[in-house]
Amino acid sequence: MGLHVESRPSDSPYIERVWRSSSHDIARMTSIATAHWELVLWEHRGQVSVAVRGPETAASTAPVPEDATFFGITFPLGTSMPHLPSGRLVNGAVEIPGATRRSFWLKGSTWRLPGYDNAEAFVRRMVREGVVDCDPIVATVLRGAAPDVSERTVQRRFMAATGLTRGAAQRISRARQAAVLIQEGTPVGDVIHRLGYFDQPHLARSLTRYVGRTATQLSAQKPDEPLSLLYKT
């Protein structure tokens, strides 16, 4: 009972994660902050909906429809939909109208609904038709290399591609990593040292803001409210 979530990585450079979930006897969940945007499809009472959901800069409580199924493709930092500015998606979503159980309409074309096992083929078409693009400068920075442009240009391009500053994206990512480590049983002191937090209060503030949980709550076997997708990168 609750929210069952399954996910997998991908060998596509344009996909961060593919996931699916179903809900039973649950009314709400904690949506964890994320620096990534997603294409999300869900079916509830025979009605199919499709939306592009943007980065979330803080944890929040989100309603969960009863007996619904969900599918999502999470895209890596640096990718974007040029016709949907990233800044417009931060802490929000754009629903795509006209979805049926077979297809939906996106940027002037009909698209068959993707699934858990064919997400890569679907995204390849998105890239081929220019629906999804990737900023090479952002990709270079994320690999740890130094692009041949000024820091100001890097910051501007990062913001344009993700809707976030590099600092905000890093803080969100670090909090998510901390949550995973704590759930795995890593002592809080080790998490602080490994991820570069100043001290325990600094970690606590970060977890509360971005994950919506304390370290003690993350360690509990049965949380009062399920979390959205949290995975090890």
Short mmCIF file of all heavy atoms in Angstrom, two decimals, residues 82-105:
data_model
loop_
_atom_site.label_atom_id
_atom_site.label_comp_id
_atom_site.label_asym_id
_atom_site.label_seq_id
_atom_site.Cartn_x
_atom_site.Cartn_y
_atom_site.Cartn_z
N PRO A 82 13.87 23.78 -26.04
CA PRO A 82 14.01 25.20 -26.42
C PRO A 82 12.70 25.96 -26.53
O PRO A 82 12.66 27.17 -26.28
CB PRO A 82 14.72 25.10 -27.79
CG PRO A 82 15.49 23.82 -27.72
CD PRO A 82 14.61 22.88 -26.95
N HIS A 83 11.60 25.27 -26.86
CA HIS A 83 10.32 25.98 -27.00
C HIS A 83 9.63 26.17 -25.65
O HIS A 83 8.60 26.85 -25.58
CB HIS A 83 9.40 25.23 -27.96
CG HIS A 83 8.87 23.93 -27.44
ND1 HIS A 83 9.66 22.81 -27.29
CD2 HIS A 83 7.62 23.57 -27.03
CE1 HIS A 83 8.93 21.81 -26.82
NE2 HIS A 83 7.70 22.25 -26.65
N LEU A 84 10.18 25.58 -24.58
CA LEU A 84 9.67 25.80 -23.23
C LEU A 84 10.82 26.32 -22.37
O LEU A 84 11.60 25.53 -21.84
CB LEU A 84 9.13 24.49 -22.63
CG LEU A 84 7.81 23.96 -23.16
CD1 LEU A 84 7.45 22.65 -22.47
CD2 LEU A 84 6.70 24.98 -22.95
N PRO A 85 10.99 27.61 -22.23
CA PRO A 85 12.10 28.17 -21.47
C PRO A 85 12.18 27.56 -20.07
O PRO A 85 11.17 27.43 -19.37
CB PRO A 85 11.78 29.67 -21.40
CG PRO A 85 10.91 29.91 -22.59
CD PRO A 85 10.10 28.67 -22.77
N SER A 86 13.39 27.18 -19.65
CA SER A 86 13.58 26.50 -18.37
C SER A 86 13.09 27.33 -17.20
O SER A 86 12.54 26.80 -16.23
CB SER A 86 15.06 26.16 -18.19
OG SER A 86 15.50 25.28 -19.19
N GLY A 87 13.29 28.66 -17.28
CA GLY A 87 12.84 29.51 -16.19
C GLY A 87 11.34 29.44 -15.95
O GLY A 87 10.86 29.61 -14.83
N ARG A 88 10.60 29.15 -17.00
CA ARG A 88 9.14 29.04 -16.89
C ARG A 88 8.73 27.77 -16.16
O ARG A 88 7.62 27.69 -15.60
CB ARG A 88 8.55 29.06 -18.31
CG ARG A 88 7.04 28.91 -18.38
CD ARG A 88 6.60 28.89 -19.83
NE ARG A 88 5.20 28.52 -19.98
CZ ARG A 88 4.62 28.22 -21.13
NH1 ARG A 88 5.33 28.28 -22.26
NH2 ARG A 88 3.35 27.89 -21.18
N LEU A 89 9.61 26.77 -16.14
CA LEU A 89 9.27 25.48 -15.56
C LEU A 89 9.66 25.35 -14.09
O LEU A 89 9.19 24.43 -13.42
CB LEU A 89 9.95 24.36 -16.36
CG LEU A 89 9.52 24.19 -17.82
CD1 LEU A 89 10.41 23.17 -18.50
CD2 LEU A 89 8.06 23.76 -17.90
N VAL A 90 10.53 26.21 -13.59
CA VAL A 90 11.00 26.07 -12.22
C VAL A 90 9.82 26.17 -11.26
O VAL A 90 9.03 27.10 -11.31
CB VAL A 90 12.06 27.15 -11.90
CG1 VAL A 90 12.46 27.07 -10.42
CG2 VAL A 90 13.28 26.95 -12.77
N ASN A 91 9.72 25.16 -10.39
CA ASN A 91 8.62 25.08 -9.41
C ASN A 91 7.25 25.11 -10.07
O ASN A 91 6.28 25.64 -9.53
CB ASN A 91 8.71 26.21 -8.38
CG ASN A 91 9.94 26.08 -7.50
OD1 ASN A 91 10.32 24.99 -7.09
ND2 ASN A 91 10.58 27.21 -7.22
N GLY A 92 7.19 24.51 -11.26
CA GLY A 92 5.92 24.48 -11.97
C GLY A 92 5.90 23.40 -13.03
O GLY A 92 6.83 22.58 -13.13
N ALA A 93 4.85 23.38 -13.81
CA ALA A 93 4.71 22.38 -14.87
C ALA A 93 3.86 22.96 -15.99
O ALA A 93 3.06 23.88 -15.77
CB ALA A 93 4.06 21.11 -14.33
N VAL A 94 4.05 22.41 -17.17
CA VAL A 94 3.23 22.78 -18.32
C VAL A 94 2.54 21.51 -18.81
O VAL A 94 3.20 20.56 -19.22
CB VAL A 94 4.08 23.38 -19.45
CG1 VAL A 94 3.23 23.62 -20.70
CG2 VAL A 94 4.73 24.68 -19.00
N GLU A 95 1.22 21.49 -18.73
CA GLU A 95 0.48 20.31 -19.18
C GLU A 95 0.34 20.36 -20.69
O GLU A 95 0.09 21.41 -21.28
CB GLU A 95 -0.89 20.24 -18.52
CG GLU A 95 -1.61 18.93 -18.80
CD GLU A 95 -2.75 18.64 -17.83
OE1 GLU A 95 -2.85 19.34 -16.81
OE2 GLU A 95 -3.52 17.70 -18.11
N ILE A 96 0.50 19.20 -21.32
CA ILE A 96 0.38 19.08 -22.77
C ILE A 96 -1.04 18.62 -23.08
O ILE A 96 -1.45 17.52 -22.65
CB ILE A 96 1.42 18.08 -23.31
CG1 ILE A 96 2.83 18.60 -23.01
CG2 ILE A 96 1.23 17.88 -24.81
CD1 ILE A 96 3.93 17.64 -23.36
N PRO A 97 -1.82 19.41 -23.79
CA PRO A 97 -3.23 19.07 -24.01
C PRO A 97 -3.40 17.99 -25.06
O PRO A 97 -2.50 17.68 -25.85
CB PRO A 97 -3.83 20.40 -24.49
CG PRO A 97 -2.68 21.09 -25.16
CD PRO A 97 -1.46 20.71 -24.38
N GLY A 98 -4.60 17.41 -25.06
CA GLY A 98 -4.97 16.48 -26.12
C GLY A 98 -4.41 15.09 -26.00
O GLY A 98 -4.37 14.35 -27.00
N ALA A 99 -3.99 14.67 -24.81
CA ALA A 99 -3.43 13.33 -24.65
C ALA A 99 -4.53 12.28 -24.67
O ALA A 99 -5.61 12.48 -24.12
CB ALA A 99 -2.65 13.25 -23.34
N THR A 100 -4.24 11.15 -25.33
CA THR A 100 -5.13 9.99 -25.33
C THR A 100 -4.34 8.80 -24.79
O THR A 100 -3.18 8.94 -24.41
CB THR A 100 -5.65 9.68 -26.74
OG1 THR A 100 -4.55 9.15 -27.53
CG2 THR A 100 -6.20 10.93 -27.43
N ARG A 101 -4.95 7.65 -24.78
CA ARG A 101 -4.24 6.45 -24.29
C ARG A 101 -3.21 5.96 -25.30
O ARG A 101 -2.45 5.04 -24.99
CB ARG A 101 -5.25 5.35 -23.97
CG ARG A 101 -6.27 5.77 -22.93
CD ARG A 101 -7.10 4.62 -22.44
NE ARG A 101 -6.35 3.79 -21.50
CZ ARG A 101 -6.88 2.80 -20.80
NH1 ARG A 101 -8.16 2.53 -20.92
NH2 ARG A 101 -6.15 2.10 -19.98
N ARG A 102 -3.17 6.57 -26.47
CA ARG A 102 -2.20 6.15 -27.49
C ARG A 102 -1.16 7.22 -27.81
O ARG A 102 -0.02 6.90 -28.09
CB ARG A 102 -2.92 5.77 -28.79
CG ARG A 102 -3.67 4.47 -28.73
CD ARG A 102 -4.39 4.21 -30.03
NE ARG A 102 -4.90 2.85 -30.06
CZ ARG A 102 -4.54 1.94 -30.97
NH1 ARG A 102 -3.69 2.26 -31.91
NH2 ARG A 102 -5.05 0.73 -30.94
N SER A 103 -1.56 8.48 -27.77
CA SER A 103 -0.66 9.52 -28.26
C SER A 103 -0.94 10.87 -27.62
O SER A 103 -1.93 11.04 -26.91
CB SER A 103 -0.78 9.63 -29.78
OG SER A 103 -2.08 10.06 -30.14
N PHE A 104 -0.08 11.82 -27.94
CA PHE A 104 -0.29 13.21 -27.55
C PHE A 104 0.37 14.10 -28.58
O PHE A 104 1.14 13.65 -29.43
CB PHE A 104 0.25 13.49 -26.13
CG PHE A 104 1.74 13.31 -25.97
CD1 PHE A 104 2.60 14.40 -26.06
CD2 PHE A 104 2.29 12.05 -25.70
CE1 PHE A 104 3.96 14.26 -25.91
CE2 PHE A 104 3.65 11.90 -25.55
CZ PHE A 104 4.49 12.99 -25.65
N TRP A 105 0.08 15.38 -28.51
CA TRP A 105 0.55 16.36 -29.49
C TRP A 105 1.66 17.19 -28.87
O TRP A 105 1.50 17.75 -27.80
CB TRP A 105 -0.62 17.24 -29.92
CG TRP A 105 -0.35 18.16 -31.06
CD1 TRP A 105 -0.09 19.50 -31.00
CD2 TRP A 105 -0.33 17.83 -32.45
NE1 TRP A 105 0.11 20.02 -32.24
CE2 TRP A 105 -0.03 19.02 -33.16
CE3 TRP A 105 -0.51 16.65 -33.16
CZ2 TRP A 105 0.06 19.05 -34.55
CZ3 TRP A 105 -0.42 16.69 -34.54
CH2 TRP A 105 -0.14 17.87 -35.22
#
